[in-house]
Amino acid sequence: MSDTSAVEERPKHLKHYFVDSDQQFEASKMGMWVFLVTEILFFGGLFAAYIVYRAWYPDLYLQASTELDTFWGTVNTAVLIGSSLTVAMAIRSAQLNQIKGLITNLWITIGLACVFMMIKYFEYAHKFHKGILPGEYYTYEGIAHEKANIFFSIYYMMTGLHGIHVIIGIGLMLFLVIKAKKGAFSSGYYTPVEITGLYWHLVDVIWIFLFPLLYLID
Amino acid sequence: MSGHHISSSKFLWGIGSALFFLTFITVAVTWFHIPGPWNVVVAISIASLKAMIVAAFFMNLWWDSKFNSMLFVTAIIFFLLLIGITLLDTLFRNDPVPTF
């Protein structure tokens, strides 16, 4: 009809099909939550496998988890919780228009995520060296249970899928750092920071359950 | 309702400290060798509490649109349904446990 909307001042990030920035922000966030629902059920299948086999072979879990190092598991839990804190601080910085603080907090988060993956790498390497491999490749003889390979198949699937999520998270946060350096974010627009934060917190929540279920059985 | 709740850094550090403390508790309870199945109950309870703290205060569900909380709760309900229905099968089989 008229071209009044064309002259109206609209921020650059605002898509034409949204009324305002708030509506766009809320829609993005809800979309992210729907994705997180699918993520919970994605991991849920693995948790179901864990529970079914634990009900079938309670002794197996007691014996096999002694191969997992509680100390490094605890350190990794603390590292991930610390990274959740820095992501929350990054979002706070973005909300307050402190782009320098945003970038710093993102770098600390990336650093902590890398520490997590390094520890995971050393844990995996140590197990591979001993012949603790998933499924039919399992050759370790230190656990007196014929189904020991099953526990480690579940262990590698759960921690492996979680590890892939951490690596994806590192990629996302590097992307955010690049965007932030280009000046893409401000207190008026930080949607990618917010929804990456949601993703990262979910990865943390998954680990909060994996840690006692895998490492702390005795 | 607004998605722009800004937490103070003191508050965020407080939540982080609570999570660190609960992680310590998670490890500390294993030193007492609580008899099963209570050890699992305690471990899952603490983990659930931690998860709830993260969801409410780091993921901002506390201040957020209730719709997002509903999505989160729905995911948990469907997960419990998955576990429940699966266990109704696997716990009550007459045949021995399969070979795989």
Side-chain angles (χ1 to χ4, degrees):
Chain A
M1 292 203 299
S2 68
D3 58 349
T4 44
S5 60
V7 269
E8 203 180 301
E9 277 289 322
R10 283 171 73 90
K12 235 174 120 189
H13 64 262
L14 185 57
K15 301 276 188 254
H16 67 88
Y17 39 82
F18 287 112
V19 173
D20 54 27
S21 285
D22 265 354
Q23 189 195 35
Q24 178 171 302
F25 179 78
E26 289 297 329
S28 297
K29 203 161 60 170
M30 191 196 84
M32 193 62 193
W33 271 106
V34 172
F35 172 69
L36 295 187
V37 169
T38 71
E39 287 278 275
I40 290 168
L41 293 171
F42 183 21
F43 278 95
L46 289 170
F47 278 101
Y50 173 97
I51 293 167
V52 165
Y53 276 94
R54 187 157 179 186
W56 276 341
Y57 306 110
D59 291 343
L60 162 66
Y61 281 65
L62 294 181
Q63 291 174 32
S65 82
T66 55
E67 288 298 324
L68 303 181
D69 194 326
T70 307
F71 174 75
W72 289 113
T74 312
V75 171
N76 256 353
T77 308
V79 167
L80 267 200
I81 289 175
S83 73
S84 257
L85 176 60
T86 54
V87 158
M89 297 293 272
I91 293 168
R92 180 185 144 76
S93 301
Q95 289 170 325
L96 296 175
N97 223 357
Q98 297 163 349
I99 302 309
K100 231 178 128 186
L102 166 66
I103 292 168
T104 310
N105 277 308
L106 285 172
W107 275 125
I108 299 171
T109 312
I110 292 165
L112 289 170
C114 291
V115 169
F116 179 90
M117 287 314 292
M118 293 254 270
I119 292 175
K120 209 80 224 124
Y121 166 78
F122 285 117
E123 282 189 286
Y124 273 20
H126 180 65
K127 285 186 190 65
F128 290 167
H129 182 71
K130 282 163 99 174
I132 301 177
L133 290 154
E136 60 179 300
Y137 304 103
Y138 185 88
T139 53
Y140 184 57
E141 291 181 345
I143 301 168
H145 198 292
E146 50 171 345
K147 297 280 193 258
N149 59 342
I150 287 183
F151 176 86
F152 287 102
S153 295
I154 292 170
Y155 166 82
Y156 282 121
M157 277 305 292
M158 294 184 101
T159 58
L161 188 64
H162 180 267
I164 288 171
H165 278 79
V166 173
I167 293 169
I168 292 170
I170 294 172
L172 289 172
M173 278 179 289
L174 285 172
F175 170 74
L176 289 182
V177 168
I178 294 167
K179 291 279 276 184
K181 282 194 172 159
K182 285 183 181 163
F185 304 129
S186 67
S187 56
Y189 175 72
Y190 59 95
T191 312
V193 186
E194 172 83 19
I195 61 173
T196 306
L198 287 179
Y199 169 87
W200 192 253
H201 293 312
L202 188 88
V203 171
D204 183 27
V205 165
I206 303 277
W207 181 261
I208 283 172
F209 283 98
L210 287 181
F211 169 56
L213 287 176
L214 292 169
Y215 289 78
L216 294 178
I217 326 166
D218 23 38
Chain B
M1 224 7 228
S2 168
H4 297 276
H5 172 85
I6 304 177
S7 301
S8 71
S9 49
K10 214 170 145 187
F11 178 79
L12 292 176
W13 272 100
I15 295 299
S17 309
L19 291 170
F20 285 126
F21 177 69
L22 285 170
T23 302
F24 169 74
I25 297 288
T26 313
V27 179
V29 288
T30 63
W31 299 335
F32 299 109
H33 293 283
I34 301 167
W38 297 108
N39 53 359
V40 183
V41 174
V42 170
I44 293 297
S45 303
I46 301 174
S48 303
L49 177 63
K50 284 167 76 181
M52 239 126 78
I53 292 174
V54 172
F57 302 117
F58 276 172
M59 299 168 96
N60 283 348
L61 280 182
W62 188 266
W63 303 279
D64 208 352
S65 149
K66 292 282 169 286
F67 192 84
N68 293 339
S69 300
M70 187 207 75
L71 288 172
F72 186 53
V73 170
T74 308
I76 296 165
I77 290 171
F78 273 86
F79 169 64
L80 294 176
L81 209 60
L82 170 71
I83 304 294
I85 293 174
T86 308
L87 286 179
L88 281 178
D89 168 11
T90 60
L91 282 183
F92 301 101
R93 286 183 182 182
N94 292 322
D95 292 338
V97 174
T99 49
F100 51 82

